[in-house]
Amino acid sequence: MSKDANLKEKWDFLILSLSNQFADGDELTIDSIIYLIGVQELGQGYRSFKKDEKVNLMHIAICKLLEPYGYYEFDFFDDDGWPHYKTLTELPNLKPGEQTVLIKEAIISYFDENDFFR
């Protein structure tokens, strides 16, 4: 199976599984999945978040997802328990399609590391 076909197969499985679990079967968007990862990484369970907290959750998720690629590194937890990352390398200028592929690969790797596909 080619890398692209494997990515698509895992992505489709992930979308279906997460959509059934969190959205009553409505298809989750990539942003929704990033948000869920942010909530998971914050580790405080689900609760209502303010708009700025939602943006911060997505930032946490992006940092966590791109950490294995060498773009970010975990730095510390603040007094409220929120993780902070430092930038190691600036993200390259990617076309929108390339950005989507990178983040999908990173999301699949994240779930793969947590035995989601086993």
Side-chain angles (χ1 to χ4, degrees):
M1 179 180 297
S2 74
K3 180 181 175 186
D4 291 341
N6 189 36
L7 175 68
K8 181 174 179 5
E9 182 180 311
K10 285 186 172 184
W11 182 255
D12 290 345
F13 177 77
L14 182 69
I15 290 290
L16 180 65
S17 298
L18 293 178
S19 296
N20 286 335
Q21 186 173 356
F22 293 103
D24 295 326
D26 292 338
E27 189 168 297
L28 290 177
T29 65
I30 196 166
D31 288 338
S32 301
I33 294 170
I34 292 168
Y35 174 77
L36 288 172
I37 292 169
V39 171
Q40 175 68 27
E41 289 303 311
L42 179 60
Q44 297 179 1
Y46 180 77
R47 60 179 172 86
S48 293
F49 292 99
K50 298 175 192 166
K51 185 177 182 178
D52 62 322
E53 290 178 319
K54 290 178 181 179
V55 171
N56 289 336
L57 286 168
M58 294 183 77
H59 177 72
I60 290 167
I62 295 294
C63 291
K64 177 66 178 178
L65 290 169
L66 296 180
E67 185 177 27
Y69 294 83
Y71 295 111
Y72 298 97
E73 180 179 75
F74 174 76
D75 197 12
F76 66 96
F77 287 102
D78 66 19
D79 293 339
D80 295 322
W82 286 70
H84 290 261
Y85 288 81
K86 59 183 173 184
T87 303
L88 296 179
T89 305
E90 292 297 320
L91 290 167
N93 289 325
L94 299 173
K95 297 175 186 171
E98 294 169 331
Q99 288 176 6
T100 301
V101 170
L102 174 63
I103 204 68
K104 282 182 177 181
E105 286 176 349
I107 289 170
I108 288 169
S109 292
Y110 176 85
F111 281 94
D112 219 0
E113 289 173 11
N114 292 289
D115 295 328
F116 185 82
F117 298 107
R118 298 198 202 311

